[in-house]
Amino acid sequence: MRKKINIVVAKAFPKVHRRAGEPTHFASKIVNGEKIHTIRGNYDLWAVNAEKMQSGRYVLSVHQWSGIPYRSKQREIFNTEEHIGVEHVTMRYTDKTDSIEVTIEDRCLSQAEIETLAQNDGTEIEDFKDWFFQKQRKLHEDGTFNGVIVHFTPFRYSES
């Protein structure tokens, strides 16, 4: 039996989001193949987890809270033994232009690719911006988010 590496996706938009409390529909989007990855802040942890997955001894188990986050049980919504992959992502928000610059593995994305990134993460671009760049988020002084894309499918931005 393989060990599980768990990752939790949100059931509702967080309190600091403009759509706070509304359902994200991430579970159905993952199952239907519309949400093909999730973006997290800890690249080093997920690089190690990806290596564990590639060893064949682990499976990625995607969970969702049944109710209030951290106060309710989690339920598994998806698992995969294959295709798990990680890519380093840096995103910078510019307030003046209300735009995002995204670099994945040293490759700068076009604006069209950034919209695809948001869709592949299960959101529209405005929700994506608010999710990662609301004022309460702890960012570097220059408004930069450094993290990791955890892929559920073979698709990779660095190979596009």
Side-chain angles (χ1 to χ4, degrees):
M1 183 169 186
R2 295 183 180 174
K3 295 180 182 179
K4 290 184 177 183
I5 296 173
N6 295 332
I7 191 165
V8 182
V9 295
K11 189 174 186 176
F13 286 95
K15 290 179 183 180
V16 294
H17 195 278
R18 65 188 178 89
R19 292 180 56 196
E22 290 181 35
T24 61
H25 303 289
F26 285 166
S28 62
K29 289 177 180 181
I30 290 170
V31 172
N32 294 334
E34 298 170 63
K35 180 173 172 60
I36 64 171
H37 56 60
T38 186
I39 300 175
R40 302 298 160 123
N42 193 336
Y43 177 83
D44 293 336
L45 170 68
W46 284 100
V48 169
N49 285 342
E51 283 183 29
K52 288 179 180 179
M53 292 281 303
Q54 292 165 359
S55 75
R57 297 186 319 245
Y58 292 82
V59 60
L60 180 68
S61 178
V62 182
H63 289 236
Q64 191 171 60
W65 297 104
S66 61
I68 298 171
Y70 305 101
R71 295 187 183 140
S72 62
K73 292 184 178 184
Q74 296 177 9
R75 65 177 181 87
E76 184 179 78
I77 57 172
F78 175 80
N79 71 61
T80 183
E81 300 171 12
E82 302 174 22
H83 307 306
I84 183 71
V86 297
E87 290 181 301
H88 182 261
V89 61
T90 302
M91 299 187 287
R92 179 174 291 119
Y93 177 75
T94 305
D95 198 28
K96 289 180 187 177
T97 59
D98 188 36
S99 63
I100 305 172
E101 295 173 11
V102 178
T103 304
I104 299 174
E105 298 291 340
D106 299 322
R107 180 177 171 273
C108 294
L109 272 56
S110 69
Q111 288 304 307
E113 289 172 314
I114 293 169
E115 290 193 24
T116 299
L117 172 72
Q119 289 174 345
N120 288 344
D121 204 48
T123 65
E124 297 299 322
I125 191 69
E126 291 305 314
D127 290 330
F128 185 83
K129 282 192 254 185
D130 200 41
W131 190 285
F132 288 99
F133 298 103
Q134 72 265 24
K135 291 179 182 165
Q136 292 82 359
R137 192 88 160 158
K138 292 179 182 171
L139 301 171
H140 295 287
E141 289 180 19
D142 64 354
T144 301
F145 174 89
N146 286 297
V148 60
I149 301 172
V150 179
H151 290 277
F152 309 141
T153 71
F155 176 80
R156 304 292 183 267
Y157 294 95
S158 59
E159 298 171 3
S160 296

